[in-house]
Structures are given as C-alpha cells and as structure tokens.
Amino acid sequence: MKAWAVAAWLLIWHGLSAYVGQGIILPSPASVAERLVGLASEPSYWFSVLFSLSRIVAGFVLASAIGVAAASLSSWRRRVGDFLAPAIAAVKSTPVASVTVLALLWIPSRNLSVFVSFVTVFPIVYSNVRKGLSETDSKLLEMAWVFSMPARRKATYIYLPQTLPYYQAACLAGLGMCWKAGVAAEVIGLPDGSVGERLYLAKLYFATPDMFAWTLTVIAASVAFERLFMALVRLLAAKVGGAGKAAA
C-alpha cells in the first residue's frame, strides 16, 4: 500500500466531509482521528479489541486446522468428500446474517463470532486445500510408490509443497472474510464488551465519529493479523522449500 494513495484518499474524504458540512453524516478525518485517540486512551477500548480479536482469530485458526484435516481425509477417502459436499455447499450459500441468527439459538453470544468466523473460513480452506491435493503431480506420487517412501516423508516432501500455494490463497481470502463476518455477527448478537456492540451503540446514539473510529480499528486489526499470519505461512513455505532441496 503506497503512502501517496492513502494520502490521496484522505484528501478525498476530507473534501467530501467539507462539502457535506455535517459531521453526523460524514465526519472529517481529523475528527475521527481525534476520537480514535480518545477511545484508545480508555481501558474499555482495548478490552473490546482483545475480546473480538481473540474470538475471531480462534475461529480462523480452528477453521484453518479442521479445513486442512477434512480436505486431507476427503482426498484420501472419496466418500468423506461426498458426505461433506452438501454441507459445504449449504454453508457457502447461506448469508452471514442467517448463520448468526440460527447460531444464537444454540451458542452464547460471547462465542458467536468464533462460530461465525469458523463457518465463513472453513469452506474456503477446505475447497482450496482439497483442490491442491487433487492436483498433486502424479509422477511424484508414482516415484514415491516405487521407492516405498514412508507416508510421513511423502506428506512432507510431496503433498505439503504442492498444496501450500493453495493454502496461502485460501488464507488470503479467508482472513478478510472472517473479520467481516465476525464483527457482523457481533453487531447482531451484541455480546458484552465486543467491538460489534460498540459499533451498534455508536450507530444507536448517532456517534458517527465513533463508528468510523471503530471501523478503522477493525481494519487495522485485520491487516495486522493478516500480515502476521501470512508471514508465518511464508516462513513455513521457505522451510518446506529448503527441506525439499535438501531431500533432493
């Protein structure tokens, strides 16, 4: 992201705010920044950020781990994939609002964002990883069979390098989606102390600068987590590549 592009959009925002002339409709960047600094000085702000962050990240990590495991199992046993296909199709097609309202019947609102984030990310990880496994080079698999390569080494030196790019693509798509879905679920479920609750209260009291400030908080948290997680994935990819060269 280029600094000049960010500056250009801030100028556009400032110009639109000046043209509208009503902060309750479109506050200026300066008023939002001032309110964000004010919120950040309150302990309740950081409690809300950590509350939502921990649950959305938990949902993403669970979806990532279980999605990889389910994709591996369905690639190994075709009937598992056939069994999961209707559920995956249903989850992909169901709106987040419907999932959230239904989940409120069974799940406490404080854990709602964990479930909704999980449901949003799981199909993405599952579909991408399964596709990567299905497109593994058959010649490499044949070579592994000829030399009686153990399953663990086959997974490390064949399946993992072949599938990792698909997993990276799934993570890039899922990371942004899980934050959107998780915060939207909190706005509906209103768990105490969540970012979603603070957004809803800001809307309820027409505190538009607060709405913008909390939205910027969600964007910042999403970008920070995405960069951290993708850096870890790239580190794994580098290690896998190094191990593959050493094995060769």
Side-chain angles (χ1 to χ4, degrees):
M1 190 181 296
K2 301 295 184 180
W4 67 265
V6 175
W9 280 106
L10 286 174
L11 285 173
I12 293 171
W13 178 5
H14 177 76
L16 288 173
S17 175
Y19 175 78
V20 171
Q22 295 188 37
I24 195 171
I25 297 176
L26 183 62
S28 67
S31 64
V32 172
E34 181 182 356
R35 187 60 190 131
L36 183 58
V37 171
L39 287 172
S41 65
E42 302 172 5
S44 60
Y45 170 86
W46 295 105
F47 174 83
S48 296
V49 171
L50 290 175
F51 180 97
S52 297
L53 177 68
S54 62
R55 283 156 176 77
I56 293 172
V57 168
F60 176 84
V61 171
L62 283 172
S64 180
I66 297 176
V68 170
S72 302
L73 188 58
S74 65
S75 179
W76 181 46
R77 288 287 185 266
R78 186 178 297 274
R79 286 190 177 183
V80 175
D82 294 339
F83 173 75
L84 291 175
I88 298 295
V91 169
K92 282 182 176 180
S93 304
T94 305
V96 172
S98 298
V99 172
T100 303
V101 172
L102 288 171
L104 278 171
L105 298 174
W106 314 305
I107 300 172
S109 62
R110 65 180 180 276
N111 294 325
L112 187 62
S113 53
V114 178
F115 177 77
V116 174
S117 298
F118 172 86
V119 169
T120 302
V121 176
F122 174 79
I124 300 173
V125 174
Y126 173 84
S127 300
N128 279 43
V129 173
R130 192 181 182 200
K131 182 175 177 60
L133 289 170
S134 68
E135 295 189 2
T136 301
D137 193 338
S138 59
K139 293 181 179 179
L140 290 176
L141 295 175
E142 184 178 347
M143 180 192 68
W145 180 79
V146 169
F147 289 100
S148 301
M149 181 180 287
R152 183 176 178 180
R153 291 177 63 83
K154 191 189 300 184
T156 303
Y157 299 121
I158 297 179
Y159 284 114
L160 188 56
Q162 297 278 311
T163 309
L164 202 53
Y166 292 88
Y167 177 71
Q168 287 178 297
C171 288
L172 280 173
L175 282 165
M177 291 294 295
C178 75
W179 277 93
K180 292 178 183 179
V183 173
E186 290 180 346
V187 171
I188 296 173
L190 298 177
D192 292 337
S194 66
V195 170
E197 182 196 34
R198 300 294 292 268
L199 269 169
Y200 178 81
L201 291 175
K203 174 258 181 187
L204 191 65
Y205 294 111
F206 297 100
T208 312
D210 284 41
M211 290 179 62
F212 274 76
W214 281 109
T215 301
L216 289 176
T217 298
V218 172
I219 294 171
S222 175
V223 170
F225 178 64
E226 177 182 319
R227 291 188 176 181
L228 175 61
F229 190 85
M230 293 309 299
L232 294 175
V233 173
R234 285 191 293 270
L235 181 62
L236 174 62
K239 287 187 176 181
V240 168
K245 292 178 181 178

